[in-house]
């Protein structure tokens, strides 16, 4: 596949026409399939206008920041946790907010089943974080799809990626069933709820005030309660979870260090490296080299 690497950790992949021709003739992969896929973190000055309609649906999921889109004469504002799907055959435009640029996962897709998943998604729909929201599971599934498509042309890999993509869309289209499918964690305990909140927001930059607002406690009271439960301050624990996620990405993907840094909501790659070294006792590069098979 054709991979692109642009601003501040941007990743995108365009599936070649020769592979798309194979997909369109395949009875398993052709029902709903990806043509382009990508992740743009903190996409400052991101803007796209298509005056000529395209024959692909455009899925955009904003996980941080803000943006907007316009289609069929209507403009919509988009915030953190919102997703939408632009229909085929309609000119459209979209872009990041100038002051708070969005971080988005995006996918262009086609196929006989595509319209069923896109129906009703032309206005922004919200995915609210919570104890049972499984946002991180969904993000991991996106990464699995991206990794599969970028690493192999084999038809088995293509089929797996497209089947996984249909599941990915289903986690949003049938969100209540998706959330109920997992065992609900114990909701008691403010510290446990905050830890789950951290797990759903490892790609964000959270302040103590934001964490306290989520918990319903004052910042000072939350700090006391959380440290009694975990032995760490809330922000220190959040950093531990970010670095644990960084280790997973270093182990399982070929993402560059700046891409991982931006994916974890850390704009300064050098700060990310220092934080990683302090927690893991070695640099991210040394960790990756040490864990190569």
């Amino acid at each position: 596949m054709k991979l692109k690497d642009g601003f501040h950790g941007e990743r995108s992949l365009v599936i070649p026409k020769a592979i798309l021709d194979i997909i369109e003739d395949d009875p398993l992969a052709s029902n709903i399939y990806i043509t382009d896929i990508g992740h743009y973190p903190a996409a400052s000055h991101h803007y796209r206008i298509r005056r000529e309609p395209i024959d692909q649906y455009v899925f955009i999921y904003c996980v941080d920041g803000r943006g907007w889109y316009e289609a069929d004469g209507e403009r919509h504002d988009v915030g953190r946790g919102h997703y939408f799907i632009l229909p085929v055959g309609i000119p459209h435009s979209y872009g990041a907010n100038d002051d708070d640029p969005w971080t988005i996962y995006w996918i262009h897709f086609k196929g006989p089943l595509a319209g069923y998943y896109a129906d009703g998604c032309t206005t922004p729909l919200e995915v609210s974080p919570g104890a049972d929201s499984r946002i991180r599971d969904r993000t991991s599934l996106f990464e699995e799809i991206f990794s599969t498509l970028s690493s192999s042309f084999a038809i088995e890999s293509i089929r797996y990626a497209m089947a996984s993509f249909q599941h990915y869309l289903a986690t949003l289209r049938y969100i209540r069933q998706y959330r109920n499918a997992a065992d609900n964690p114990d909701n008691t305990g403010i510290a446990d709820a905050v830890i789950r909140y951290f797990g759903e927001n490892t790609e964000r930059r959270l302040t103590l005030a934001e964490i306290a607002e989520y918990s319903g406690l004052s910042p000072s009271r939350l700090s006391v309660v959380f440290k009694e439960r975990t032995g760490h301050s809330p922000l220190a624990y959040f950093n531990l979870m970010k670095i644990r996620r960084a280790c997973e990405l270093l182990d399982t993907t070929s993402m560059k260090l700046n891409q991982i840094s931006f994916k974890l909501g850390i704009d300064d790659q050098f700060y990310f490296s220092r934080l990683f070294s302090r927690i893991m006792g070695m640099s991210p590069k040394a960790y990756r080299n040490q864990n190569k098979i």
Side-chain angles (χ1 to χ4, degrees), residues 66-69 75-79 82 84 97 102 124:
R66 292 178 292 151
W68 59 272
Y69 67 96
R75 181 184 171 98
H76 302 274
D77 292 323
V78 179
H82 289 158
F84 60 93
N97 180 274
W102 60 12

Side-chain angles (χ1 to χ4, degrees), residues 95-116:
N97 180 274
D98 290 337
D99 299 321
D100 186 17
W102 60 12
T103 291
I104 58 172
Y105 292 93
W106 59 267
I107 300 171
H108 291 206
F109 65 100
K110 302 174 66 172
L113 298 183
Y116 293 99

Side-chain angles (χ1 to χ4, degrees), residues 19-20 22-34 110-113 154-163 165-166:
I19 302 301
L20 290 178
I22 294 172
I23 291 172
E24 290 172 354
D25 290 334
D26 186 79
L28 294 180
S30 60
N31 282 321
I32 185 166
Y33 60 93
I34 295 166
K110 302 174 66 172
L113 298 183
I155 189 59
E156 292 85 356
S157 297
I158 296 293
R159 287 172 173 171
Y160 175 73
M162 301 316 172
F165 171 56
Q166 186 169 349

Side-chain angles (χ1 to χ4, degrees), residues 38-40 58-64 78-85 102-107 125-129 133-136 138-139 142 168 171-172 175 179 200:
H39 172 233
Y40 292 171
V58 180
F59 165 86
I60 295 180
Y61 180 16
C62 174
V63 296
D64 201 9
V78 179
R80 180 172 62 89
H82 289 158
Y83 76 92
F84 60 93
I85 299 177
W102 60 12
T103 291
I104 58 172
Y105 292 93
W106 59 267
I107 300 171
L125 300 171
E126 185 174 6
V127 181
S128 301
S133 55
R134 301 180 66 193
I135 292 174
R136 183 175 176 181
R138 184 181 296 109
T139 301
F142 179 97
Y168 180 86
T171 70
L172 294 163
I175 192 166
R179 291 177 170 180
E200 300 288 8

Side-chain angles (χ1 to χ4, degrees), residues 6-76:
F7 58 88
H8 297 309
E10 167 191 348
R11 293 176 295 145
S12 62
L13 181 155
V14 179
I15 298 180
K17 184 180 182 302
I19 302 301
L20 290 178
D21 290 342
I22 294 172
I23 291 172
E24 290 172 354
D25 290 334
D26 186 79
L28 294 180
S30 60
N31 282 321
I32 185 166
Y33 60 93
I34 295 166
T35 63
D36 309 72
I37 183 171
H39 172 233
Y40 292 171
S44 183
H45 307 301
H46 178 222
Y47 173 73
R48 170 74 71 178
I49 182 169
R50 294 187 177 94
R51 294 187 175 90
E52 295 296 325
I54 58 175
D55 63 351
Q56 306 152 0
Y57 292 90
V58 180
F59 165 86
I60 295 180
Y61 180 16
C62 174
V63 296
D64 201 9
R66 292 178 292 151
W68 59 272
Y69 67 96
E70 186 171 322
D72 206 19
E74 292 190 31
R75 181 184 171 98
H76 302 274

Side-chain angles (χ1 to χ4, degrees), residues 190-192 194-195 198 208 217 219-237:
I190 290 172
D192 291 344
V194 169
I195 290 171
F198 288 162
L208 181 59
L217 300 179
S220 59
R221 180 58 182 160
L222 172 64
S223 296
V224 171
V225 169
F226 195 88
K227 191 159 189 176
E228 286 178 351
R229 167 71 172 77
T230 68
H232 304 277
S233 71
L235 290 177
Y237 196 97

